[in-house]
């Protein structure tokens, strides 16, 4: 079972940001400044893992659940 990740604070992250090279710091700032929903550059820099979008069920099976009594 996977445990929940610890919630980070700005104080936790600032030392990491300070240790970045100037080029990586600029890249981070650009990623932060992207409009909401513009994830394409992020996925280009870190592609999704092989199991990120996989499921054990049939892809559309979850859409059908719970609609038996409607109508």
């Amino acid at each position: 079972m996977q445990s929940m990740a610890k919630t980070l604070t700005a104080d936790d992250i600032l030392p990491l940001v300070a240790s970045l090279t100037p080029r990586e710091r600029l890249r981070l700032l650009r990623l932060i400044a992207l409009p909401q929903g513009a994830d394409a550059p992020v996925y280009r820099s870190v592609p999704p893992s092989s199991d990120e979008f996989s499921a054990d069920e049939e892809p559309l099976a979850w859409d059908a659940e719970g609609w038996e009594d409607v109508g």
Side-chain angles (χ1 to χ4, degrees):
M1 178 181 270
Q2 189 176 17
S3 64
M4 266 183 116
K6 175 188 167 214
T7 302
L8 297 176
T9 66
D11 290 332
D12 296 326
I13 297 171
L14 285 175
L16 299 173
V17 173
S19 69
L20 292 173
T21 64
R23 183 176 181 172
E24 284 298 304
R25 196 175 299 173
L26 179 61
R27 180 172 166 247
L28 176 63
L29 289 172
R30 286 183 179 149
L31 289 172
I32 291 169
L34 287 174
Q36 294 291 334
D39 294 335
V42 175
Y43 279 110
R44 276 195 294 278
S45 65
V46 182
S49 63
S50 60
D51 64 342
E52 184 171 351
F53 296 106
S54 68
D56 293 335
E57 297 180 17
E58 187 176 331
L60 297 178
W62 63 271
D63 278 338
E65 292 176 9
W67 291 93
E68 295 83 14
D69 298 327
V70 176

